[in-house]
């Protein structure tokens, strides 16, 4: 069994054109900036939007001409959307009841799913008596209690606090992995959601698919600025050349080309913030072959045990708090970024890349 979708949708001046497949038992994550078409895609799958052209199948079953209630779809959004006048158990029982099950049977199904999501203790409470994380557990149970063929997850962790989100993410990982007959489509901005839950990712930009593939492969080797940003990597666009990449303004970024990066074709140079060394701009110390970029500090942000320095060149570097103090870094301070060529990988660019980094400094290869 497999979900297969071809969707063409027009909303005003916006056009969405997308096709994809999701084998049963797997999760596809949809990534993309605001306005890229993620919500339009989910609306088309659920039947809440009517595309100008759509072919949507789950196995041999045609979904595109069916009304929303007949598509066997479960929806979980960032808002639990629980009925305030019903108890928790009756909220969950609503799903099988809406498919024709009796009251007693529906409550039995509801209790089974509440136990599955570790929420049985809340069965007799009203939604107003639940925390955000507890309410989202109940919403997960309700989405699954109807035994849907297709599960749509729309930013399910976005409204949760930092303590509740990991628990719900772990819960979803467990329940999604337990069913091999259901296909799941997840919309998220969080790379942790994609890495923890999704087998494959599809990246949208301007209504078009610009990247797709296995989750870890796409996030480890992004081809667009948006994907690089959510993966926590630096990306510079240009053209593949023998020694790496040539930017639009003629600057050379030295790096190692992958086998599929064709000379003279659009490409992107990708490297981690941890591979970027930061020096005072007047520091003239020589070094091994590297890329040198003169820029200034735009922001300093805590990032786990390190400080992430963001620059006016659109690039980031990770430094220890001690290094930030020693260099007396603060917004507006001129700095020099050094990136060894061996830490830069040059990949083919996506066919329709999103806006990419433009260097606002002097970049050249030395050594």
């Amino acid at each position: 069994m497999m979900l297969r979708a071809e969707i063409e949708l027009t909303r005003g001046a916006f056009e969405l054109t997308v096709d994809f497949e999701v084998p049963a038992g797997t999760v596809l994550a949809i990534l993309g900036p605001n306005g890229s078409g993620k919500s339009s895609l989910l609306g088309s799958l659920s039947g809440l939007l009517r595309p100008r052209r759509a072919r949507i199948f789950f196995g041999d079953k045609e979904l595109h001409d069916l009304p929303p209630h007949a598509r066997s779809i479960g929806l979980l959004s960032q808002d639990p959307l629980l009925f305030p006048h019903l108890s928790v158990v009756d909220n969950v029982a609503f799903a099988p009841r809406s498919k024709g099950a009796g009251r007693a049977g529906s409550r039995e199904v509801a209790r089974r799913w509440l136990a599955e999501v570790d929420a049985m203790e809340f069965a007799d409470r009203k939604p107003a008596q639940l925390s955000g994380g507890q309410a989202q557990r109940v919403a997960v149970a309700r989405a699954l209690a109807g035994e849907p063929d297709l599960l749509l997850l729309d930013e399910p962790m976005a409204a949760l606090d930092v303590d509740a989100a990991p628990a719900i993410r772990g819960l979803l990982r467990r329940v999604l992995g337990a069913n091999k007959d259901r296909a799941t489509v997840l919309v998220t901005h969080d790379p942790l959601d994609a890495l923890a839950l999704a087998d494959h990712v599809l990246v949208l930009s301007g209504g078009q698919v610009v990247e797709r593939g296995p989750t870890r492969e796409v996030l480890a080797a992004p081809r667009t600025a948006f994907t690089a940003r959510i993966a926590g990597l630096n990306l510079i666009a240009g053209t593949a050349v023998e020694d790496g990449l040539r930017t639009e303004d003629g600057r050379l970024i030295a790096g190692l080309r992958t086998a599929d990066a064709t000379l003279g074709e659009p490409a992107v140079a990708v490297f981690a913030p941890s591979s970027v060394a930061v020096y005072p701009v007047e520091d003239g110390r020589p070094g091994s072959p590297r890329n040198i970029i003169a820029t200034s500090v735009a922001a300093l942000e805590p990032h786990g045990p390190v400080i992430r320095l963001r620059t006016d060149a659109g690039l980031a570097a990770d430094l220890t708090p001690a290094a930030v103090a020693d260099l007396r870094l603060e917004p507006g301070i001129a700095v020099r970024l050094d990136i060894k060529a061996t830490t830069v990988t040059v990949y083919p660019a996506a066919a329709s890349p999103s806006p990419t980094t433009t260097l606002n400094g002097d970049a050249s290869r030395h050594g």
Side-chain angles (χ1 to χ4, degrees):
M1 297 284 280
M2 178 180 295
L3 170 69
R4 306 189 312 278
E6 299 176 11
I7 298 169
E8 296 178 7
L9 174 75
T10 301
R11 302 182 73 183
F14 177 78
E15 292 193 3
L16 171 70
T17 303
V18 62
D19 66 274
F20 58 89
E21 296 180 344
V22 187
T26 70
V27 179
L28 173 70
I30 309 295
L31 306 176
N34 291 334
S36 62
K38 302 186 301 297
S39 295
S40 296
L41 188 154
L42 284 191
S44 299
L45 290 175
S46 66
L48 298 177
L49 294 177
R50 297 293 294 176
R52 72 169 186 270
R53 176 182 173 274
R55 289 179 57 79
I56 305 171
F57 293 84
F58 187 75
D60 296 329
K61 180 181 179 181
E62 295 186 7
L63 304 184
H64 43 270
D65 290 328
L66 296 178
H69 68 272
R71 295 192 179 199
S72 188
I73 286 176
L75 176 63
L76 178 66
S77 66
Q78 55 185 280
D79 188 335
L81 298 174
L82 301 179
F83 298 117
H85 62 292
L86 296 180
S87 67
V88 162
V89 70
D90 285 333
N91 261 281
V92 179
F94 179 83
R97 285 277 285 171
S98 68
K99 299 181 75 170
R103 182 186 298 272
S106 295
R107 285 191 166 186
E108 182 179 346
V109 170
R111 290 189 176 92
R112 176 167 60 83
W113 275 107
L114 286 172
E116 184 68 24
V117 302
D118 301 321
M120 190 60 200
E121 63 185 288
F122 314 129
D124 296 325
R125 296 186 191 180
K126 293 291 180 66
Q129 299 172 290
L130 304 177
S131 69
Q134 291 167 350
Q136 197 68 329
R137 285 181 181 272
V138 176
V140 172
R142 185 175 65 179
L144 296 173
E147 300 293 342
D149 293 329
L150 173 60
L151 184 62
L152 305 180
L153 306 178
D154 189 5
E155 300 277 7
M157 269 73 74
L160 299 178
D161 60 37
V162 293
D163 294 321
I168 297 298
R169 191 179 292 117
L171 164 65
L172 286 172
R173 182 179 177 86
R174 176 165 55 85
V175 298
L176 294 180
N179 188 307
K180 302 303 180 185
D181 298 321
R182 180 176 51 237
T184 302
V185 178
L186 163 71
V187 164
T188 182
H189 281 92
D190 191 334
L192 285 179
D193 294 347
L195 286 167
L197 302 175
D199 302 279
H200 290 77
V201 298
L202 181 150
V203 183
L204 289 175
S205 180
Q208 305 290 320
V209 178
V210 294
E211 295 192 70
R212 70 172 89 205
T215 304
R216 293 186 180 277
E217 290 182 15
V218 171
L219 294 181
R223 311 299 172 92
T224 66
F226 173 81
T227 314
R229 186 164 64 251
I230 66 169
L233 298 172
N234 291 305
L235 180 146
I236 300 172
T239 301
V241 294
E242 187 65 40
D243 293 329
L245 177 132
R246 183 79 62 182
T247 64
E248 196 172 279
D249 59 4
R251 293 166 173 148
L252 177 66
I253 303 298
L256 306 175
R257 284 187 299 111
T258 59
D260 54 346
T262 305
L263 293 177
E265 294 295 320
V268 290
V270 178
F271 50 97
S274 59
S275 68
V276 180
V278 180
Y279 298 101
V281 73
E282 67 275 5
D283 189 335
R285 57 192 281 184
S288 57
R290 66 186 72 192
N291 302 290
I292 297 178
I293 300 170
T295 183
S296 57
V297 178
L300 295 162
E301 305 167 354
H303 194 76
V306 299
I307 302 298
R308 179 151 293 177
L309 178 147
R310 300 195 181 277
T311 69
D312 290 335
L315 303 176
D318 285 345
L319 303 172
T320 64
V324 171
D326 290 344
L327 293 170
R328 298 181 179 180
L329 297 175
E330 60 184 50
I333 294 292
V335 292
R336 193 187 84 209
L337 308 181
D338 286 18
I339 309 106
K340 290 186 178 181
T342 53
T343 67
V344 178
T345 305
V346 177
Y347 300 100
S352 303
S354 56
T356 47
T357 296
T358 299
L359 297 180
N360 297 319
D362 180 32
S364 58
R365 183 184 181 191
H366 288 249

